[in-house]
Amino acid sequence: MLNLILNENKKLLKNRIVQGIILLFCVLFIYFAVDIIFLTHSGYDKKDGEFKIYEGLQAIEWEKEQCKPFDGKILNEDFLAEAEKLYGFDYIVSFTEIYFIYNSFIDRSPFDTVYDPVSGTATVGEVIEGFKKIEDVIPAASSPALYCYSGAYEVLFQKLGFVGILSVVAALIISALVFSQEYTSDTDVLLLTSKFGRRRLAIAKSISGISVSVGLFIIFTLLSALLCFCCYGFSGADGDIRLSLIRNCDAKVLENLSFFGNSVSNIEFLSFAFLVFFSAVSIVSSITLLISALSYGSFSALSISAGVFILPFAVRAIVNTYEYINAYSKLHSIFALFPVNLIADWNKDLWWGINYEIFGKLYPYAVIFPTIALILTVLFFFCSIFVYGKRKVKV
């Protein structure tokens, strides 16, 4: 059986389309490397008016130095006061984690245009009255938020999104070729009448289709992780994810993190993101395998698979024209379970912005989606084996 699986893997990897997909993965990884090592930039307008731009690895080191005094501290009033001393009230340009946290808590009032009749110019009037209450910004503040510099995890989450999206699309294309290419090349007659042509070959092909798709996702995720950790360091694994989400997620998302006692760490959050994309690749691959087994050619298998894949997104778009699907509606929760909508709505809000009530207990999307997807993966996997095994030989 192992030899059959390896042979099917080799057959897939020799396919020009699959080789093109691997090339795309390589190009994406090269872009990641160039972006981190050479293009990353941060700026800081010092009080003496000097403006500096840091690029690449120098920018990363600069950011680490800015965040170092806060590493390992609990977010409280003293934390914010120390951040205020660093950034002051002057206009600054900065991309450090501390700046975004600080900026999320300062209370500006008013913040509008002020006209100076003497100079004849308009400026932005800004009066900072103080800080917002911590519990107003982080509703689930019963568990103190621990800050640790987490540049690697922040960047890796972004890279994982790109790798995951490409992997889902790649899984659809690769799996569509598994059975259908035999029909296209008219070799299905020989295979189906051979010693291993039915059950064993069907199992080997199905395992091959999923393993190649999932394997590409895992390999390039690990390469991306290695790149990020080498450049940013390993610190921040136990840092509180709420401090990373605070600048681009609403209070509802932060509140939903209470599922884990209000203390989801950066590494836990990243692990769930990996699991969500892993399960998305698996379910897309298994559904496409079944369609491939039912089809009579690679083009028809790919076309039908793409149609089935895109259909939920199209339905949601149609429904949304008649009834607005807000971020926390039941319809949004249902549509979010389809992989295409995972890709369309890929952002940090999705993992924890949706809860599903099961037997009176709430579970986040990051738990429910992988569970459903992996169960369906097994179901469609065996269905594709059964369909191919019952396939009639063309005469």
Side-chain angles (χ1 to χ4, degrees):
M1 178 59 74
L2 180 60
N3 288 334
L4 280 175
I5 296 172
L6 292 175
N7 184 61
E8 291 300 324
N9 283 346
K10 290 179 182 178
K11 189 185 296 184
L12 273 178
L13 294 174
K14 287 180 179 179
N15 188 287
R16 293 293 180 87
I17 297 176
V18 177
Q19 290 176 353
I21 291 172
I22 295 174
L23 179 61
L24 281 178
F25 273 106
C26 293
V27 171
L28 183 64
F29 178 75
I30 292 172
Y31 168 75
F32 290 164
V34 172
D35 179 53
I36 292 175
I37 298 174
F38 299 106
L39 302 180
T40 304
H41 64 276
S42 299
Y44 178 52
D45 190 4
K46 294 184 177 180
K47 291 185 178 180
D48 59 5
E50 183 181 359
F51 182 73
K52 289 186 177 180
I53 292 291
Y54 301 91
E55 296 181 349
L57 298 178
Q58 185 184 20
I60 295 173
E61 292 302 316
W62 171 82
E63 183 181 15
K64 287 182 180 179
E65 287 299 316
Q66 297 293 310
C67 298
K68 193 173 182 179
F70 301 88
D71 202 52
K73 293 186 177 181
I74 298 294
L75 177 65
N76 52 26
E77 288 77 6
D78 293 337
F79 183 102
L80 296 175
E82 190 173 349
E84 186 177 59
K85 290 180 182 178
L86 179 63
Y87 296 109
F89 299 103
D90 297 331
Y91 173 76
I92 60 174
V93 179
S94 176
F95 297 101
T96 65
E97 294 177 345
I98 300 299
Y99 169 71
F100 285 116
I101 295 172
Y102 165 78
N103 195 55
S104 300
F105 280 93
I106 58 176
D107 182 18
R108 293 186 175 100
S109 180
F111 191 87
D112 50 18
T113 302
V114 177
Y115 179 75
D116 183 358
V118 177
S119 62
T121 59
T123 59
V124 175
E126 179 180 345
V127 178
I128 302 178
E129 295 183 342
F131 295 111
K132 300 174 185 177
K133 293 182 179 180
I134 293 177
E135 56 269 21
D136 291 338
V137 180
I138 306 180
S142 59
S143 175
L146 175 70
Y147 173 77
C148 293
Y149 174 70
S150 57
Y153 299 91
E154 178 74 15
V155 174
L156 182 53
F157 181 89
Q158 299 171 358
K159 307 309 180 191
L160 178 61
F162 289 111
V163 173
I165 291 171
L166 179 56
S167 297
V168 171
V169 176
L172 187 146
I173 298 173
I174 292 171
S175 299
L177 299 172
V178 172
F179 295 110
S180 62
Q181 66 178 350
E182 307 295 353
Y183 308 142
T184 302
S185 58
D186 291 327
T187 56
D188 58 311
V189 176
L190 296 175
L191 293 175
L192 289 171
T193 56
S194 67
K195 180 180 178 182
F196 303 116
R198 294 287 178 177
R199 187 63 56 85
R200 295 185 66 182
L201 186 58
I203 294 174
K205 282 182 169 294
S206 297
I207 292 176
S208 176
I210 294 178
S211 63
V212 170
S213 301
V214 171
L216 287 175
F217 169 68
I218 292 176
I219 289 171
F220 282 93
T221 295
L222 291 176
L223 288 175
S224 300
L226 181 63
L227 173 66
C228 291
F229 287 129
C230 286
C231 295
Y232 287 87
F234 292 88
S235 67
D238 57 345
D240 199 309
I241 190 61
R242 290 175 297 178
L243 298 184
S244 296
L245 297 179
I246 200 172
R247 61 181 177 269
N248 51 20
C249 290
D250 60 28
K252 181 70 174 178
V253 175
L254 299 177
E255 188 175 10
N256 284 347
L257 289 168
S258 61
F259 177 78
F260 286 101
N262 303 336
S263 58
V264 177
S265 66
N266 289 310
I267 189 64
E268 288 172 336
F269 188 88
L270 188 63
S271 298
F272 274 104
F274 174 85
L275 182 59
V276 167
F277 277 115
F278 176 90
S279 54
V281 172
S282 299
I283 183 63
V284 168
S285 182
S286 62
I287 292 175
T288 309
L289 279 173
L290 177 58
I291 295 173
S292 179
L294 290 167
S295 302
Y296 286 92
S298 299
F299 180 77
S300 62
L302 185 58
S303 300
I304 295 172
S305 299
V308 170
F309 179 68
I310 297 172
L311 182 61
F313 180 77
V315 172
R316 189 183 70 166
I318 294 172
V319 173
N320 205 21
T321 60
Y322 296 98
E323 180 182 348
Y324 180 69
I325 304 175
N326 62 56
Y328 305 109
S329 68
K330 290 184 178 179
L331 280 176
H332 178 66
S333 300
I334 294 172
F335 281 115
L337 294 173
F338 292 92
V340 65
N341 291 317
L342 165 66
I343 291 177
D345 297 332
W346 176 75
N347 54 54
K348 292 180 179 178
D349 295 56
L350 182 61
W351 316 123
W352 303 100
I354 303 175
N355 277 338
Y356 298 86
E357 185 174 353
I358 301 176
F359 300 117
K361 190 173 182 180
L362 293 177
Y363 295 90
Y365 174 88
V367 172
I368 296 300
F369 177 81
T371 302
I372 294 175
L374 293 175
I375 291 174
L376 291 177
T377 296
V378 175
L379 176 63
F380 286 112
F381 172 81
F382 285 108
C383 285
S384 63
I385 294 173
F386 176 80
V387 169
Y388 186 75
K390 295 295 182 180
R391 187 89 180 192
K392 292 183 179 180
V393 179
K394 291 184 295 184
V395 293

Coordinates of all heavy atoms in Angstrom, one line a residue, residues 118-159:
V118 N -5.0 84.2 12.3 CA -3.8 85.0 12.1 C -2.9 84.5 11.0 O -2.5 85.2 10.1 CB -2.9 85.0 13.5 CG1 -1.6 85.8 13.2 CG2 -3.7 85.6 14.6
S119 N -2.7 83.2 11.0 CA -1.8 82.5 10.0 C -2.6 82.2 8.8 O -2.1 82.0 7.7 CB -1.1 81.3 10.6 OG -2.1 80.3 10.9
G120 N -4.0 82.1 9.0 CA -4.8 81.7 7.8 C -4.7 80.2 7.5 O -5.1 79.9 6.3
T121 N -4.3 79.4 8.4 CA -4.2 78.0 8.1 C -5.1 77.2 9.1 O -5.5 77.7 10.2 CB -2.7 77.5 8.3 OG1 -2.3 77.8 9.6 CG2 -1.8 78.2 7.3
A122 N -5.4 76.0 8.7 CA -6.2 75.1 9.5 C -5.3 74.0 10.1 O -4.5 73.4 9.3 CB -7.4 74.5 8.7
T123 N -5.5 73.6 11.3 CA -4.7 72.6 11.9 C -5.7 71.6 12.6 O -6.8 72.0 12.9 CB -3.7 73.1 12.9 OG1 -4.3 73.8 13.9 CG2 -2.7 74.0 12.2
V124 N -5.1 70.5 13.0 CA -6.0 69.5 13.7 C -5.8 69.8 15.2 O -4.7 69.8 15.8 CB -5.5 68.1 13.4 CG1 -6.3 67.1 14.3 CG2 -5.7 67.7 12.0
G125 N -6.9 70.1 15.8 CA -6.9 70.4 17.3 C -7.0 69.1 18.1 O -8.0 68.4 17.8
E126 N -6.1 68.9 18.9 CA -6.1 67.6 19.7 C -5.9 67.9 21.2 O -4.8 68.5 21.5 CB -5.0 66.7 19.1 CG -5.0 65.4 19.9 CD -3.9 64.4 19.3 OE1 -3.4 64.7 18.2 OE2 -3.5 63.5 20.0
V127 N -6.8 67.5 22.0 CA -6.6 67.6 23.4 C -6.8 66.2 24.0 O -7.8 65.6 23.9 CB -7.7 68.6 24.0 CG1 -7.5 68.6 25.5 CG2 -7.6 69.9 23.4
I128 N -5.7 65.8 24.7 CA -5.7 64.5 25.3 C -6.1 64.6 26.8 O -5.3 65.2 27.5 CB -4.4 63.7 25.1 CG1 -4.1 63.6 23.6 CG2 -4.4 62.4 25.8 CD1 -2.7 62.9 23.4
E129 N -7.2 64.1 27.2 CA -7.7 64.3 28.5 C -7.2 63.2 29.5 O -7.2 63.3 30.7 CB -9.2 64.3 28.6 CG -9.8 65.5 27.8 CD -11.3 65.6 27.9 OE1 -11.9 64.6 28.2 OE2 -11.9 66.7 27.6
G130 N -6.8 62.1 28.9 CA -6.3 61.0 29.8 C -6.5 59.7 29.1 O -6.5 59.6 27.8
F131 N -6.6 58.6 29.9 CA -6.8 57.3 29.3 C -8.2 56.7 29.5 O -8.8 57.0 30.5 CB -5.8 56.3 30.0 CG -4.4 56.6 29.7 CD1 -3.5 57.1 30.8 CD2 -3.8 56.5 28.5 CE1 -2.2 57.4 30.5 CE2 -2.5 56.7 28.2 CZ -1.7 57.2 29.2
K132 N -8.6 55.9 28.6 CA -9.9 55.2 28.8 C -9.7 54.1 29.8 O -8.6 53.7 30.1 CB -10.3 54.6 27.5 CG -10.5 55.5 26.3 CD -10.8 54.8 25.0 CE -10.9 55.7 23.8 NZ -11.1 55.0 22.6
K133 N -10.7 53.7 30.4 CA -10.6 52.6 31.4 C -10.3 51.3 30.7 O -10.8 51.0 29.6 CB -11.9 52.4 32.2 CG -12.3 53.6 33.1 CD -13.6 53.3 33.8 CE -13.9 54.5 34.8 NZ -15.2 54.2 35.5
I134 N -9.4 50.5 31.3 CA -9.0 49.3 30.7 C -10.1 48.4 30.4 O -10.2 47.8 29.3 CB -7.9 48.6 31.6 CG1 -6.7 49.4 31.7 CG2 -7.6 47.2 31.1 CD1 -5.6 48.9 32.6
E135 N -11.1 48.3 31.3 CA -12.2 47.4 31.1 C -13.2 47.9 30.0 O -13.9 47.1 29.4 CB -13.0 47.2 32.4 CG -13.5 48.5 33.0 CD -12.6 49.1 34.0 OE1 -11.4 48.7 33.9 OE2 -13.0 49.8 34.9
D136 N -13.1 49.2 29.6 CA -13.9 49.7 28.5 C -13.3 49.3 27.1 O -14.0 49.1 26.1 CB -14.0 51.2 28.5 CG -14.8 51.7 29.7 OD1 -15.6 50.8 30.2 OD2 -14.7 52.8 30.2
V137 N -12.0 49.1 27.1 CA -11.3 48.7 25.9 C -11.2 47.2 25.7 O -11.4 46.6 24.7 CB -9.9 49.3 25.8 CG1 -9.2 49.0 24.5 CG2 -10.0 50.9 25.9
I138 N -10.9 46.6 26.9 CA -10.9 45.1 26.9 C -12.0 44.6 27.9 O -11.8 44.6 29.1 CB -9.5 44.6 27.4 CG1 -8.4 45.2 26.6 CG2 -9.5 43.1 27.3 CD1 -7.0 44.7 27.0
P139 N -13.1 44.3 27.3 CA -14.3 43.9 28.2 C -14.0 42.8 29.1 O -14.4 42.7 30.3 CB -15.4 43.5 27.2 CG -15.0 44.2 25.9 CD -13.5 44.3 25.9
A140 N -13.2 41.8 28.7 CA -12.8 40.7 29.5 C -11.6 40.9 30.3 O -10.6 40.2 30.2 CB -12.7 39.4 28.6
A141 N -11.5 42.0 31.0 CA -10.3 42.4 31.7 C -10.2 41.8 33.1 O -9.3 42.2 33.9 CB -10.3 44.0 31.8
S142 N -11.0 40.8 33.4 CA -10.9 40.2 34.7 C -9.6 39.4 34.8 O -9.1 39.2 35.9 CB -12.1 39.3 35.0 OG -12.2 38.3 34.0
S143 N -9.1 39.0 33.7 CA -7.8 38.3 33.6 C -6.8 39.3 33.1 O -6.9 39.8 32.0 CB -7.9 37.1 32.7 OG -6.6 36.6 32.6
P144 N -5.8 39.8 33.9 CA -4.8 40.8 33.5 C -4.1 40.3 32.2 O -3.8 39.2 32.0 CB -3.9 40.9 34.6 CG -4.7 40.4 35.8 CD -5.6 39.3 35.3
A145 N -3.9 41.3 31.3 CA -3.2 41.0 30.0 C -1.7 41.2 30.2 O -1.2 42.3 30.6 CB -3.7 41.9 28.9
L146 N -1.0 40.1 29.9 CA 0.5 40.2 30.0 C 1.1 40.5 28.7 O 0.8 39.9 27.7 CB 1.0 38.8 30.5 CG 2.5 38.6 30.6 CD1 3.1 39.5 31.7 CD2 2.9 37.2 30.8
Y147 N 2.0 41.5 28.7 CA 2.6 41.9 27.4 C 4.0 41.2 27.3 O 4.8 41.2 28.2 CB 2.8 43.4 27.3 CG 3.6 43.8 26.1 CD1 3.0 43.8 24.9 CD2 5.0 44.1 26.2 CE1 3.8 44.1 23.7 CE2 5.8 44.4 25.1 CZ 5.1 44.4 23.8 OH 5.9 44.6 22.7
C148 N 4.2 40.7 26.1 CA 5.5 40.2 25.7 C 5.7 40.5 24.2 O 4.7 40.4 23.5 CB 5.6 38.6 25.9 SG 5.5 38.0 27.6
Y149 N 6.8 41.0 23.9 CA 7.1 41.3 22.5 C 6.8 40.1 21.6 O 7.4 39.0 21.8 CB 8.5 41.8 22.3 CG 8.8 42.0 20.8 CD1 8.3 43.1 20.1 CD2 9.7 41.1 20.1 CE1 8.6 43.3 18.8 CE2 10.0 41.3 18.8 CZ 9.4 42.4 18.1 OH 9.7 42.6 16.8
S150 N 5.9 40.3 20.6 CA 5.4 39.1 19.9 C 5.4 39.4 18.4 O 4.5 39.0 17.6 CB 4.0 38.8 20.3 OG 3.1 39.9 20.1
G151 N 6.5 40.1 17.9 CA 6.6 40.4 16.5 C 6.6 39.2 15.6 O 5.9 39.2 14.5
A152 N 7.2 38.1 16.0 CA 7.2 36.9 15.2 C 5.8 36.3 15.0 O 5.4 35.9 13.9 CB 8.1 35.8 15.8
Y153 N 5.0 36.3 16.1 CA 3.7 35.7 16.0 C 2.7 36.6 15.2 O 1.9 36.1 14.5 CB 3.2 35.4 17.4 CG 4.1 34.5 18.2 CD1 5.1 35.0 18.9 CD2 3.9 33.1 18.1 CE1 6.0 34.1 19.6 CE2 4.8 32.2 18.7 CZ 5.8 32.7 19.5 OH 6.6 31.9 20.1
E154 N 2.9 37.9 15.4 CA 2.0 38.8 14.6 C 2.3 38.7 13.1 O 1.3 38.6 12.3 CB 2.4 40.2 15.1 CG 1.6 41.3 14.3 CD 0.1 41.4 14.8 OE1 -0.2 40.8 15.8 OE2 -0.7 42.0 14.0
V155 N 3.5 38.6 12.7 CA 3.9 38.5 11.3 C 3.5 37.2 10.8 O 3.0 37.0 9.6 CB 5.4 38.9 11.1 CG1 5.8 38.6 9.6 CG2 5.7 40.3 11.5
L156 N 3.8 36.1 11.6 CA 3.6 34.8 11.1 C 2.1 34.5 10.9 O 1.7 33.8 10.0 CB 4.1 33.8 12.1 CG 3.9 32.3 11.8 CD1 4.5 32.0 10.4 CD2 4.6 31.4 12.9
F157 N 1.2 35.1 11.7 CA -0.2 35.0 11.5 C -0.6 35.5 10.1 O -1.4 34.9 9.4 CB -1.0 35.7 12.6 CG -2.5 35.6 12.4 CD1 -3.2 34.5 13.0 CD2 -3.2 36.5 11.7 CE1 -4.5 34.4 12.9 CE2 -4.6 36.4 11.5 CZ -5.2 35.3 12.1
Q158 N 0.0 36.7 9.7 CA -0.3 37.3 8.4 C 0.2 36.3 7.3 O -0.5 36.1 6.3 CB 0.3 38.6 8.3 CG -0.2 39.6 9.3 CD 0.6 40.9 9.3 OE1 1.6 41.0 8.6 NE2 0.3 41.9 10.2
K159 N 1.4 35.8 7.5 CA 1.9 34.9 6.4 C 1.1 33.6 6.3 O 0.9 33.1 5.2 CB 3.4 34.6 6.8 CG 4.3 35.8 7.0 CD 4.3 36.8 5.9 CE 5.2 38.0 6.2 NZ 5.0 39.1 5.3

